[in-house]
Amino acid sequence: MPEKVYDIWGEELEISPSEEAKNIIKKASQPKKIKVKDALTEKSLKLKSVSINDKLEIIRTNVHRILGVYEANTVVIHTKEQLRDYIDNAIKNGIIAIDTETNNSLDPISCKLMGPCLYTPGQKNAYIPINHVDVDTRERLPNQITEDDFAKEIQRIINAKNGVKGGWVPDYEGQSYNEWWDANVGINLPKQDVTIIFHNGKFDYEVIKCTCGVALPIDWDTLIAAKLIDENERAGLKEQYITKIDPSIEKYSIEHLFEGIEYAVVDPDIFALYAATDAYMTYKLYLWQKEELEKPDNARILKLLLEIEVPVITVAAEMELAGVSIDSEYAKRLSAKYHKKLEVVDKQIQDELEKYSATIDKWRTTTAANEATCTTKKVKGVVKEVKGKSKNEQLEDPVGINSPIQLAILLYDVLKCEPVDPKNPRGTGEELLEALDKKYDIPLCKYILEKRGIEKLLGTYIDKLPECVSPVDNRLHAKFNQYGADTGRFSSSDPNLQNIPSHEKSIRMLFKAATEYHEVEEKDNTYIIPCTDEILTTRGWIKIKELSIGDTICGDETQDLVKNISIDSEKNYVVSV
C-alpha cells in the first residue's frame, strides 16, 4: 500500500517506498524519546542551561553507580542518640578517625561545617549531616545534628582522655556512669587512651574549633606522616590510599562530579557515600604508617613525628587562627604614596621613550625590521616552517615595556645593544637590565626596574595584604605549612608572611599589635595604668609615658584633671586626679 508522505510545501505525495525508505520514514515520523539519564551526562554538570535539580540527579545516579558498593558499610547519623552510641564505641575502641566537610569553603574562620565524618573499627563509615538545606526553599533539612550536639560528643572524647567527668568509663559494679561518679566524687577517673587521627589535621582542627568551639587533640596526622616517610611522594589522602592500601580505588574517583555544586544542597545520604570513606581511608592509612614507622630502622622518624611534628600541628593552627592585625589607615596612605611613585616613574619612562621616537621610526623602515620571523612547528610528525609577524609589527607604538618581546626589540634591535649574557642574548631580566644600564648608560633600564619594584610592592604587599583581611575579625590569617618545602621546612602562603622585604621598613609597618580597649577603675581618686598602655585624654589617645600634669583624662561620662603622676614598684603609672 502506498505510504502517504508530504513534500516541503505540505502537499501530499503518493509513493511506494522501498523497505530501506520505509525504515527511514518511520524513524523520521517517530523520533526516539531520549531518557533524562541518557541526555544529562556528566558533561552537563558544567552547562548553565541544566537546572540544579537535574545536576543533582546526575550526581545521584553516578554516585550510586560508582560508590553504591559502599552503601552497606556507610551510615548517616541523624540523631543525638546515634551519635552518642558511635562515640561510646570509639572510646571503647580507643581510636577514631575524623574528617570534616565544609560548605565548599577552605577558610576555617568563615566556613560552615557541612558535616563531620567518623570511623572507628567495628562500626560503619559515618557521616553526620549538620547544615544541609533544601535546594528550593534553602531551609535547613530536618533530622540533622547541630554543631552544639557534635561539640558535646567530641568533648566526651577529650574528657575520657583526661579522666574528666563527662567522658565514658567502664561499667563499675552495675552502676551507671553518673551513679558511679556520684558515689566516687573526688577520686581520679581512669583515663581512656583514645587515639584521634586526622589527614591534614590542622584544617580539621581549625574548622571544628571555629564552628563547634572545641580544640580537639591530634594524636596522628597521616598527611604529615606521609611526608616524613617519603617527601617525594604525593601526600594527598586518595593518592596515599591508592599507593599503600588499595590500587583498585583509583577507578572510583568522582570528585569532578561535585565541581561547582554547593555541598549544602546535596542529599546527605548521597553525600555520605562520597565523604564518609575519607575517615575510613585515614584509619587504614594510619595502620599502614604505624606498622612502617614501628620498624626498628624507623624509630627516630617515629620519635620525630610523635614528639615534634604532631605537637606542632596545633601550634601552627593556633597561629593561623590568631592572625595578625593590619593598620588599614596606614595601608591607605602607603598605597597612595606608592601609586604616586608609580605615576612619576611611568612619566619618566614615557619621556625616555619619546627621546627614541626618531630612532624607532628610522629603524621601522629597515629591511631587518620588516622581515617576517620564522619558527618551526611539528604537524603530524612533519616539521614545517611557519612565518610569523615581523619585528616592526611586534613593536607597538607606544612601546609596551611590560612585554619582554617588545623591550628586547627596542634594546637589541633598535638601540643596537650587544648582549651582555651569551646564554640569554635577548634577556630583559633584572640583572641584564642593570648590566645594560651600566654598559650603555640607558636611564630607561633604570626606570623600568624601578617600575617593576614598585608594582611588586603594590601587588604583593601594599594593596594585596589589606585585601586578605578576614571580614570576620578584621585580621589577616595566613597559612603556615609544615613540610611546605621538600627540605622539610615551614612555608607560608595566602599570603606569604615569610617573604616580607626587610629593606622596606614601610612595608613592615603595615603590621601592628592588636588594639584592645579596657577600662581602668578609679580608686581613691587614683588610676593605676600599665606602662605599655595608652590613655584617652582631651588631646586624644596618648602613651601613658607622655601624660603630663594638667592633662584631662576622658572617661565614659567624666573628665578628670591630672594632679600628680608617679611610678610604683611594678612600673605601673599611678595617676592622681
Side-chain angles (χ1 to χ4, degrees), residues 26-34:
K26 185 176 181 180
K27 286 183 178 180
S29 61
Q30 297 178 356
K32 181 181 178 181
K33 293 181 180 180
I34 302 174

Side-chain angles (χ1 to χ4, degrees), residues 67-132:
L67 297 179
V69 293
Y70 297 115
E71 190 166 4
N73 199 40
T74 301
V75 61
V76 180
I77 293 179
H78 291 288
T79 68
K80 290 186 284 187
E81 291 74 23
Q82 284 179 290
L83 179 57
R84 185 174 184 86
D85 288 344
Y86 201 97
I87 297 299
D88 276 346
N89 282 296
I91 296 174
K92 291 175 183 176
N93 286 337
I95 193 165
I96 187 170
I98 302 176
D99 181 52
T100 58
E101 297 291 345
T102 69
N103 56 332
N104 303 73
S105 173
L106 295 177
D107 178 17
I109 305 292
S110 60
C111 76
K112 271 190 174 183
L113 178 60
M114 198 51 48
C117 309
L118 309 177
Y119 179 75
T120 190
Q123 300 296 309
K124 294 183 178 182
N125 310 330
Y127 178 65
I128 308 166
I130 290 180
N131 281 305
H132 288 262

Side-chain angles (χ1 to χ4, degrees), residues 36-47 50 54-55 57-59 61-63 65-66 251 253-259 261:
V36 171
K37 67 178 181 180
D38 293 328
L40 296 176
T41 63
E42 292 179 20
K43 292 182 180 178
S44 303
L45 289 170
K46 297 182 180 180
L47 298 177
V50 179
D54 285 338
K55 290 181 178 180
E57 189 58 37
I58 296 170
I59 291 174
T61 301
N62 282 279
V63 168
R65 176 173 59 84
I66 298 171
K251 62 184 178 183
S253 177
I254 61 167
E255 283 81 359
H256 62 283
L257 290 176
F258 293 88
E259 289 179 9
I261 299 294

Side-chain angles (χ1 to χ4, degrees), residues 199 222-223 225-227 229-230 233-246 285 288-289:
H199 187 89
T222 52
L223 174 70
K227 292 185 176 183
I229 292 170
D230 189 343
E233 285 188 348
R234 293 174 65 88
L237 178 59
K238 184 66 67 67
E239 292 88 347
Q240 284 288 307
Y241 188 82
I242 291 170
T243 304
K244 312 301 182 188
I245 312 300
D246 184 5
L285 184 57
W288 182 90
Q289 291 176 344

Side-chain angles (χ1 to χ4, degrees), residues 403-416:
S403 165
I405 293 176
Q406 293 189 52
L407 185 55
I409 292 173
L410 176 63
L411 293 172
Y412 299 110
D413 298 309
V414 178
L415 301 182
K416 308 296 182 184

